[in-house]
């Protein structure tokens, strides 16, 4: 007899070892999706253990999704199984002045947030289009609406993702594949510690709960919505950003993200 075809829905979640990505995986598991989760750190195995307790099959994969090889490793783990939902959440931040940042750190942010994300989305979205079904959630950010003084590269990558998501949503219209962009603001994750921003105002201010952010994004994806901004304050910020000159936004961002602003 041949191998049985899985009947359970499959979701792929990147950047799922902690934060929003892990909570997105929790949302998927709660709706009965089997999971393939990936991140570039060993903690992904612990996340997999916790998710299995929710009664779904979970494959946890440590892979560097900033590289073509890492994305290919994740794609190969599908073993030809159709992906019902891709939640492209892997991302890295980087604080401090652009000219003072290490080039390898800059490159890693761009390759994680943009290059690897776009490469993986293309591979899986092509399969979805050919099958005529699938859902894609891309974690953008309201940071993409404003020049990121002292976060210039990170905000630039999120501006790309926000724009990219709208474009491919239009391209995939009427194919059975939906694309949703989740645009959170500052969220209580390890992001600011990893980005060396714990001495900034934005790094020390109160932040949104990643579980709430993830539920907002998951629900929007399941409803086929094009974009969703999580949190009323973030909705206000994004609306204001659309009518505020870029020079003003850049100066406002300086007051949030400049080193030492947490102490003023």
């Amino acid at each position: 007899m041949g191998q049985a075809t899985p009947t359970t829905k499959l979701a792929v979640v990147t950047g799922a070892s902690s934060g929003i990505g892990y909570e997105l995986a929790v949302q998927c598991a709660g709706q009965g999706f089997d999971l393939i989760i990936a991140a570039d750190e060993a903690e992904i195995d612990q996340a997999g253990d916790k998710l299995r307790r929710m009664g779904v099959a979970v494959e946890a994969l440590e892979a560097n999704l900033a590289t073509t090889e890492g994305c290919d490793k994740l794609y190969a783990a599908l073993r030809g199984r159709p992906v019902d939902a891709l939640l492209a959440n892997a991302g890295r931040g980087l604080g401090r002045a652009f000219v003072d940042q290490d080039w390898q750190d800059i490159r890693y942010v761009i390759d994680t947030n943009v290059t690897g994300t776009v490469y993986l989305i293309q591979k899986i979205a092509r399969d979805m289009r050919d099958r005529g079904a699938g859902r894609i959630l891309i974690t953008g950010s309201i940071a993409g609406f404003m020049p990121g003084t002292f976060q210039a590269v990170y905000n630039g990558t999120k501006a790309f993702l926000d724009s990219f998501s709208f474009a491919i949503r239009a391209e995939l219209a009427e194919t059975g594949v939906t694309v949703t962009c989740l645009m959170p603001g500052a969220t209580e994750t390890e992001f600011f510690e990893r980005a060396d921003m714990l001495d900034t105002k934005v790094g020390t201010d109160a932040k949104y709960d990643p579980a709430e952010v993830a539920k907002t994004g998951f629900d929007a994806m399941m409803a086929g919505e094009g974009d969703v901004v999580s949190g009323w304050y973030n909705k206000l910020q994004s609306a204001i950003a659309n009518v505020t000159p870029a020079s003003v936004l850049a100066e406002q961002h300086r007051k949030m993200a400049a080193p030492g602003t947490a102490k003023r």
Side-chain angles (χ1 to χ4, degrees):
M1 294 178 63
Q3 184 176 3
T5 301
T7 57
T8 308
K9 299 174 293 183
L10 177 65
V12 173
V13 188
T14 66
S17 57
S18 62
I20 295 172
Y22 173 75
E23 296 296 345
L24 285 170
V26 168
Q27 290 292 320
C28 292
Q31 293 299 313
F33 284 87
D34 283 345
L35 288 164
I36 296 178
I37 59 173
D40 62 354
E41 53 198 2
E43 288 79 1
I44 193 66
D45 290 325
Q46 299 171 18
D49 290 340
K50 290 189 288 185
L51 290 163
R52 290 185 191 99
R53 294 171 198 155
M54 298 183 68
V56 297
V58 181
E59 181 171 353
L61 189 70
E62 184 177 352
N64 184 355
L65 300 178
T67 67
T68 300
E69 294 76 14
C71 292
D72 284 341
K73 180 180 178 181
L74 174 55
Y75 187 75
L78 301 176
R79 294 180 288 275
R81 183 173 174 183
V83 175
D84 297 283
L86 168 62
L87 297 90
N89 172 79
R92 278 289 183 266
L94 188 61
R96 311 286 165 179
F98 168 70
V99 295
D100 295 328
Q101 292 167 344
D102 182 84
W103 167 246
Q104 293 304 319
D105 293 338
I106 292 170
R107 179 67 181 269
Y108 191 68
V109 170
I110 295 171
D111 285 346
T112 302
N113 297 7
V114 176
T115 311
T117 296
V118 170
Y119 177 61
L120 183 64
I121 288 173
Q122 187 191 45
K123 291 177 76 69
I124 293 180
R126 183 179 289 148
D127 293 340
M128 288 178 170
R129 180 202 60 188
D130 293 346
R131 196 172 74 251
R135 302 178 189 276
I136 299 171
L137 179 69
I138 300 172
T139 301
S141 175
I142 64 167
F145 298 144
M146 61 192 75
T149 312
F150 293 101
Q151 275 185 293
V153 174
Y154 172 77
N155 282 40
T157 64
K158 290 302 182 176
F160 175 92
L161 288 177
D162 292 350
S163 174
F164 172 74
S165 68
F166 284 107
I168 64 169
R169 176 179 173 83
E171 290 182 13
L172 291 168
E174 301 179 7
T175 67
V177 181
T178 62
V179 180
T180 303
C181 186
L182 169 61
M183 293 178 281
T187 306
E188 194 61 61
T189 69
E190 298 174 357
F191 174 91
F192 294 97
E193 179 180 359
R194 292 173 173 173
D196 191 20
M197 295 183 67
L198 293 183
D199 64 343
T200 67
K201 184 177 187 300
V202 67
T204 53
D205 278 354
K207 302 173 184 63
Y208 282 91
D209 180 353
E212 294 181 6
V213 172
K215 186 177 189 315
T216 297
F218 180 83
D219 289 348
M221 178 189 74
M222 295 304 291
E225 296 176 13
D227 64 289
V228 61
V229 177
S230 62
W232 70 268
Y233 181 69
N234 294 329
K235 290 182 173 68
L236 177 63
Q237 277 192 307
S238 62
I240 292 172
N242 286 326
V243 296
T244 303
S247 59
V248 174
L249 291 172
E251 188 56 34
Q252 289 175 347
H253 203 280
R254 172 194 296 275
K255 295 175 183 177
M256 297 189 302
T261 49
K263 302 172 185 176
R264 297 174 189 170

